[in-house]
């Protein structure tokens, strides 16, 4: 271990000492294209790097003047490995800020690490994309509604590099509009909206030739000073995205008055510099989309959806001229299965970082990812460095709050709209927290009712009305018991009736007799149970009103019982004497009538008592 | 192992049906509970019966209202 460390240190020291300041490399060909068609300036450079020295070189330096470097928001270097048919698509290389000695202080230098070191005479092709914001300066700075917007762009006509450049060319693409002026040096050509500089040959390191282009641009200069995206994951099948946008038009400031009439009549002449609408490309299958601000819903939006994307066109409440600002919120729901995945026991969210609004520069982007309650072991992987912190948020049906990961990044352009991942672990049972909250809420309600009904809440325990109420409760309980016994008796009667029916069908006298015996036993028991209840009712003054009815009920029931028994005896007797059907009917008829009448009376009485 | 997409345990097209049916069952049990509370007298009321009816009713009402929230777009 120690040996390797020392050895590495040695190699490193030698490497540093033997890097003869930047002169080993030369750029055999540089092709630069500057895209000025929108507020975001994109410079694509194709470099052909050649090692003219003898040592190995593993990094290439890119230099930017300080003025440009402070607006540089995105820098990516890719290399196309292989040649001819096997040429693969770009592999991006690590880029970092470097401060080698011997550099002019007004330059910011980035170093690109090459995948493999270049030997003597080796060449390699490198594509560098640099994106700048706030680089186009409006000139004049203030315009009226009817004026067109003119901007200035400054750069160097020669490729600014610490290496000698053998052969280079530059082309600047402008929007299809007026070109006010541009710097003319040797080999300058113009084709429509494209200005070409070069080719220039054999320029020494740090060659610089200022270049200014003054041209008309009517693209929106929409800058979001702050944009907060909130992504809320619900395991019940939804990812909710809410974007709070605070947008300002950072083109030439508007001066003078704004005439809605003129704007409405000829919007392209009297308001060419205004932002009319924004287009947001939402993911496919987005639904429940809304667009509102503090006042309420904004109705000027249009939506197109197909299987590949959902396109939302939103118009602000007013056309936005230079310096004007607006704030709004857009929100949409996404299906869970498109963005949340499981791998090796952990779940991860895979969603794009920047705002879906086209051509928007975001000065300060805050992405908040709200994970369901119960998520643990959070970790973030982003394709570029971001500031991150954690907080928690209390939302619907939460106890301890949901974990929130907050990612912050300054200067975000559409190039940053890449996917990032948040890994976390989650126990499936935690999904039952929300229903459990609801269930326990309802259950507490029921328990409260039970307690209310059971607890005696009267203040004075000795007042007459309270005692009367207690007595009445007891009477009611007793009456309910009486009723249930009478109902049992009636059920026994039914049994006897059923046995008689069986007798007429099958003629089994013996079975009928045993039924009778058990019924007799049951009825006797019931009448025994009734006695103490009746005695209580007779002794209780609260039951005075209802007592006659109860006694009548008991008496009627007993009579009914007797009739049944009589009927039963007659029929069994007849069967034993083997009398004919008609004879039986004649004998039973008077009993039968009584039975029906009594039964009706008993039922009426039961109903009457029940209502009390 | 390729990442596996995660879906909701209950397909979200079922939410409205589940909400209506479970709430209906829950309300029936609630009604039974209150009828029992109001009609039975203090002496022959059974606590176990009250608690079981209440628990069953709150189970159905709890899940019913969860699905009602989900169906109306409040993803908890």
């Amino acid at each position: 271990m120690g040996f390797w460390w020392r050895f590495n240190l040695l190699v490193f020291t030698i490497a540093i000492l033997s890097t003869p300041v930047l002169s080993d490399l030369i750029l055999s060909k540089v092709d630069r294209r500057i895209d000025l068609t929108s507020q975001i300036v994109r410079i694509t450079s194709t470099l052909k790097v050649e090692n003219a020295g003898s040592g190995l070189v593993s990094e290439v330096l890119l230099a930017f003047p300080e003025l440009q470097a402070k607006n540089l928001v995105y820098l990516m270097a890719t290399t196309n490995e292989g040649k001819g048919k096997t040429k693969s698509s770009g592999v991006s290389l690590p880029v970092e800020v470097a401060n080698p000695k011997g550099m002019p202080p007004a330059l910011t230098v980035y170093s690109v690490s090459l995948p493999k070191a270049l030997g003597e005479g080796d060449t390699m092709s490198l594509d560098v994309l640099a994106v700048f914001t706030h680089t186009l300066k409006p000139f004049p700075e203030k315009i009226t509604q009817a004026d067109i917007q003119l901007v200035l762009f400054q750069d160097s006509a020669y490729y600014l590099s610490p290496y000698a450049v053998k052969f280079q060319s530059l082309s600047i693409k402008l929007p299809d509009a007026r070109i006010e002026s541009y710097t003319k040096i040797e080999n300058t050509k113009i084709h429509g909206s494209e200005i070409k500089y070069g080719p220039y040959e054999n320029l020494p390191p740090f060659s610089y030739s200022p270049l200014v282009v003054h041209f008309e641009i009517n693209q929106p200069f929409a800058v979001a000073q702050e944009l907060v995206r909130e992504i809320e994951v619900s395991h019940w099948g939804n990812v909710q995205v809410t974007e709070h946008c605070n947008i300002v038009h950072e083109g030439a400031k508007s001066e003078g008055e704004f005439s809605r009439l003129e704007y409405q009549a000829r919007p392209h002449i009297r308001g060419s510099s205004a932002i009319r609408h924004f287009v947001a490309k939402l993911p496919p299958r987005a639904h429940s989309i809304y667009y509102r601000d503090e006042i309420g819903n904004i109705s000027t939006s249009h939506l197109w959806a197909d299987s590949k994307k959902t396109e939302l066109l939103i118009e602000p409440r007013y056309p936005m001229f230079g310096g004007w600002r607006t704030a709004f919120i857009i929100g949409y729901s996404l299906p869970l299965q498109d963005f949340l995945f499981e791998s090796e026991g952990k779940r991860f969210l895979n969603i794009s970082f920047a705002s879906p609004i086209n051509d928007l520069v975001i000065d300060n982007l805050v992405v908040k990812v709200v994970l369901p309650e119960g998520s643990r072991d959070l970790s973030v992987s982003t394709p570029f460095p971001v500031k991150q912190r954690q907080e928690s948020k209390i939302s619907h049906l939460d106890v301890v709050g949901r974990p929130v990961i907050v990612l912050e990044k300054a200067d975000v352009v559409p190039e940053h709209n890449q996917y990032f991942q948040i890994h976390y672990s989650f126990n499936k049972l935690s999904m039952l927290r929300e229903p459990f909250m609801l269930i326990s809420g309802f259950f507490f309600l029921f328990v409260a009712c039970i307690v209310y009904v059971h607890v005696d809440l009267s203040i004075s325990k000795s007042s007459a009305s309270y005692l009367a109420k207690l007595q009445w409760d007891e009477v009611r309980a007793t009456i309910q018991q009486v009723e249930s016994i009478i109902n049992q008796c009636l059920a026994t009667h039914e049994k006897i009736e059923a046995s008689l029916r069986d007798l007429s069908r099958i003629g089994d006298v013996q079975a009928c007799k045993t039924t009778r015996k058990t019924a007799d036993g049951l009825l006797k028991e019931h009448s025994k149970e009734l006695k103490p209840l009746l005695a209580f009712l007779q002794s209780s003054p609260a039951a005075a009103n209802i007592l006659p009815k109860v006694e009548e009920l008991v008496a009627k029931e007993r009579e009914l019982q007797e009739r049944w028994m009589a009927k039963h005896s007659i029929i069994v007797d007849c069967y034993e004497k083997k009398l004919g059907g008609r004879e039986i009917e004649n004998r039973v008829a008077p009993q039968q009538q009584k039975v029906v009448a009594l039964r009706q009376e008993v039922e009426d009485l039961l109903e009457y008592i029940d209502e009390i | 192992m390729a990442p596996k997409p995660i879906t909701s345990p209950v397909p979200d097209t079922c939410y409205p049906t589940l909400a209506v049916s479970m709430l209906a069952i829950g309300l029936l049990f609630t009604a039974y509970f209150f009828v029992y509370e109001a009609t039975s007298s203090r002496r022959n009321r059974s606590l176990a019966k009250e608690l079981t009816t209440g628990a069953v009713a709150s189970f159905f009402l709890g899940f019913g209202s969860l699905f009602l929230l989900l169906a109306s777009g409040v993803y908890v």
Side-chain angles (χ1 to χ4, degrees), chain A residues 20 23 25 59 98 111 128 138 185 218 276 325 327 348 418 453 499 512 530 533 557 559 599:
Chain A
S23 48
L25 287 181
E59 58 174 21
S111 88
V128 179
I185 51 174
N218 287 319
R276 262 170 270 279
R325 52 182 68 231
F348 69 95
Q418 301 172 15
V453 170
S499 81
C512 196
L530 268 177
L533 298 175
E557 200 278 326
E559 203 186 336
R599 190 133 147 223

Side-chain angles (χ1 to χ4, degrees), chain A residues 351-543:
Chain A
I351 200 163
S352 62
F353 185 75
S355 168
I357 298 175
N358 284 356
D359 283 331
L360 182 70
V361 172
I362 305 166
D363 282 349
N364 192 15
L365 175 67
V366 181
V367 180
K368 294 182 179 179
V369 183
V370 183
L371 294 171
E373 204 178 19
S375 309
R376 284 168 289 112
D377 314 330
L378 317 182
S379 65
V380 186
S381 67
T382 48
F384 35 79
V386 293
K387 259 199 290 184
Q388 56 166 292
R389 61 171 200 272
Q390 270 201 43
E391 51 187 49
S392 77
K393 180 193 174 191
I394 302 267
S395 180
H396 316 288
L397 303 174
D398 284 342
V399 186
V400 289
R402 308 180 181 202
V404 182
I405 288 190
V406 185
L407 306 174
E408 271 183 73
K409 180 160 173 53
D411 298 318
V412 176
V413 286
E415 271 75 10
H416 288 112
N417 214 344
Q418 301 172 15
Y419 281 87
F420 72 103
Q421 290 81 31
I422 290 190
H423 297 260
Y424 63 98
S425 45
F426 186 82
N427 187 350
K428 269 194 174 173
L429 283 178
S430 292
M431 273 186 82
L432 292 175
R433 282 180 187 214
E434 288 98 7
F436 182 72
M437 289 277 289
L438 290 166
I439 289 172
S440 47
F442 282 111
F443 191 65
F444 280 128
L445 184 78
F446 285 113
V447 168
C449 286
I450 291 172
V451 168
Y452 173 75
V453 170
H454 279 253
V455 167
D456 193 351
L457 287 175
S458 64
I459 297 167
S460 141
K461 306 271 186 207
S462 55
S463 76
S465 65
Y466 176 71
L467 291 176
K469 199 181 144 248
L470 275 189
Q471 272 185 347
W472 177 239
D473 275 349
E474 248 170 280
V475 168
R476 254 184 63 183
T478 319
I479 289 176
Q480 272 174 7
Q481 278 170 349
V482 170
E483 272 180 305
S484 83
I485 290 172
I486 298 282
N487 277 327
Q488 279 167 21
C489 290
L490 289 181
T492 318
H493 298 170
E494 309 247 300
K495 259 184 216 159
I496 292 178
E497 195 182 2
S499 81
L500 287 179
R501 234 180 287 127
D502 279 350
L503 181 65
S504 69
R505 219 152 33 95
I506 311 166
D508 186 354
V509 180
Q510 211 50 47
C512 196
K513 273 185 177 166
T514 40
T515 314
R516 166 79 187 266
K517 221 173 250 172
T518 51
D520 275 343
L522 276 175
L523 289 173
K524 218 169 260 174
E525 252 176 54
H526 288 323
S527 67
K528 231 183 250 170
E529 282 169 18
L530 268 177
K531 255 176 212 156
L533 298 175
L534 279 176
F536 170 77
L537 285 179
Q538 275 154 3
S539 67
S540 166

Side-chain angles (χ1 to χ4, degrees), chain B:
Chain B
M1 198 177 76
K4 200 173 81 213
I6 292 178
T7 50
S8 159
V10 181
D12 41 3
T13 44
C14 297
Y15 288 152
T17 329
L18 275 172
V20 170
S21 50
M22 294 188 92
L23 279 177
I25 296 171
L27 288 175
L28 279 181
F29 274 99
T30 314
Y32 177 74
F33 174 84
F34 283 108
V35 166
Y36 183 72
E37 289 294 313
T39 54
S40 65
S41 71
R42 186 168 294 177
R43 280 167 185 275
N44 22 346
R45 199 179 280 149
S46 122
L47 187 67
K49 196 173 176 188
E50 286 169 304
L51 284 177
T52 34
T53 323
V56 173
S58 48
F59 174 82
F60 280 104
L61 283 182
F63 270 101
S65 49
L66 173 82
F67 289 126
L68 180 68
L69 284 173
L70 293 175
S72 54
V74 181
Y75 279 87
V76 293

